Amino acid sequence: MFGPIEFILAGVLVGFCVGITGVGGGSLMTPILISLFKIEPHIAIGTDLLYASISKFCGSLVHAKKLNIVWPIVIWLALGSIPASFATTWVLEHHLSQSTHYKSVLTMVLGVMLTLTGISIIFRAQIEKFFDRFRNREQANMESEQHALQHKRRYIWIMGVVLGVLVTLSSVGAGAFGIMALVLMFPNLPMIRIIGSDVVHAVLLTAVAGLGHMSSGNVDFSLLMWLLVGSIPAIVVGTLISSRLPERFIRKILGITLFALGLNFIVNPVKAKPKPVETAQVVMNQHTTHSTTIV
């Protein structure tokens, strides 16, 4: 059995990675909870969503104070992602949760998202270099930014819908995929404004998805509390000392780890355990039938 100390240490590990590299929150916490602590996938995903929302909230305040947020992007992303998250939660609760394939579906989606996230982290430099070809060397002025926003609202909304479904199913993708898609759609937008907008949207989406899972009973509040106790101080410490550590090397290790974990979840998804209550009920029914026959 694992207790508060182990959960706090897991929070410290994940928080430290987030502080140093800026990634690893949802993508690292969920597989740790499932693989190491043997927590059920739906509980791990639901708890991690609320964990991500709370832990990213402080970062969103910093971006808001520094005016790094493009609010129209956040709004149009949320218009797509929040209804999609509600719809996905409804389907999970009313249709998939009673299926024997429930855990398999969740862990396979998680595996795919982790694999893609790992690849994006490992090859981040090459990906940014590729996107740099589309990026204008001169910073775009406000008029061109407004023009781009007006003509790409539909694509932002569609991107929000995709993120809403994937994040609700796996708790992974709000950060890495959101940033990449925004970079591709807005090549002239400064990176800091893309990151700020993505962080704020991630807070909203993970909060809504987490509350949806909470309504289904998929959140362990005791676990959530201990993870936050460990991670919040570690995020601060990791951020403060990040300039002194080999961030690129740590990113490579994190990317390879996530890639390997993702492949493992795809190949070996968590399967539903047999329900002992139902088995006992069948045995009782058989015993009753046998007694009736004898009488």
Side-chain angles (χ1 to χ4, degrees):
M1 289 292 294
F2 297 98
I5 294 177
E6 289 82 4
F7 297 143
I8 290 173
L9 290 175
V12 169
L13 173 63
V14 174
F16 194 66
C17 289
V18 171
I20 294 173
T21 65
V23 296
S27 56
L28 190 55
M29 183 61 79
T30 300
I32 285 177
L33 295 178
I34 296 174
S35 301
L36 184 60
F37 297 132
K38 306 301 179 184
I39 292 174
E40 298 289 354
H42 55 290
I43 301 295
I45 291 170
T47 304
D48 182 53
L49 283 166
L50 285 184
Y51 162 82
S53 179
I54 296 170
S55 60
K56 289 181 179 181
F57 179 71
C58 296
S60 68
L61 292 178
V62 174
H63 283 295
K65 187 176 181 180
K66 294 185 177 181
L67 303 179
N68 293 336
I69 301 169
V70 183
W71 287 107
I73 290 179
V74 176
I75 291 170
W76 281 99
L77 281 174
L79 287 175
S81 65
I82 290 177
S85 178
F86 280 127
T88 305
T89 302
W90 186 87
V91 171
L92 284 175
E93 184 176 357
H94 291 86
H95 295 281
L96 195 57
S97 62
Q98 304 303 320
S99 171
T100 56
H101 302 294
Y102 180 46
K103 297 177 185 178
S104 298
V105 170
L106 290 180
T107 48
M108 287 192 71
V109 173
L110 174 62
V112 171
M113 297 300 291
L114 287 174
T115 303
L116 294 175
T117 302
I119 292 172
S120 69
I121 293 173
I122 295 170
F123 299 103
R124 177 176 175 176
Q126 290 85 345
I127 294 171
E128 288 182 352
K129 192 174 182 180
F130 172 78
F131 284 145
D132 230 23
R133 299 176 184 176
F134 303 96
R135 188 179 294 275
N136 191 336
R137 298 299 177 184
E138 298 179 1
Q139 183 173 331
N141 57 34
M142 188 59 66
E143 289 185 2
S144 60
E145 180 180 308
Q146 292 297 330
H147 179 78
L149 285 169
Q150 289 177 358
H151 286 76
K152 294 181 179 178
R153 290 176 180 174
R154 182 186 302 174
Y155 301 107
I156 300 172
W157 180 83
I158 293 172
M159 173 188 157
V161 171
V162 173
L163 286 175
V165 173
L166 294 178
V167 171
T168 305
L169 285 173
S170 67
S171 77
V172 178
F177 296 101
I179 289 175
M180 284 192 183
L182 289 176
V183 167
L184 189 60
M185 282 193 287
F186 300 99
N188 292 324
L189 196 63
M191 182 61 73
I192 190 63
R193 302 197 74 196
I194 287 177
I195 294 172
S197 304
D198 182 74
V199 167
V200 173
H201 171 252
V203 171
L204 296 174
L205 174 55
T206 52
V208 170
L211 291 173
H213 278 273
M214 184 180 72
S215 68
S216 302
N218 294 345
V219 176
D220 185 330
F221 288 99
S222 176
L223 172 62
L224 174 63
M225 179 187 70
W226 293 121
L227 293 176
L228 290 170
V229 167
S231 65
I232 291 178
I235 290 174
V236 175
V237 173
T239 303
L240 292 175
I241 68 173
S242 59
S243 60
R244 305 176 187 175
L245 295 175
E247 184 257 3
R248 184 174 297 179
F249 176 71
I250 295 173
R251 271 184 178 273
K252 291 283 186 183
I253 295 177
L254 180 62
I256 293 170
T257 302
L258 295 178
F259 180 78
L261 286 169
L263 286 181
N264 178 62
F265 281 134
I266 293 172
V267 176
N268 302 304
V270 177
K271 297 180 180 178
K273 298 177 182 178
K275 298 180 180 179
V277 176
E278 292 183 0
T279 304
Q281 187 67 36
V282 170
V283 172
M284 187 178 293
N285 291 339
Q286 289 177 349
H287 179 71
T288 304
T289 305
H290 180 65
S291 300
T292 305
T293 305
I294 292 175
V295 173

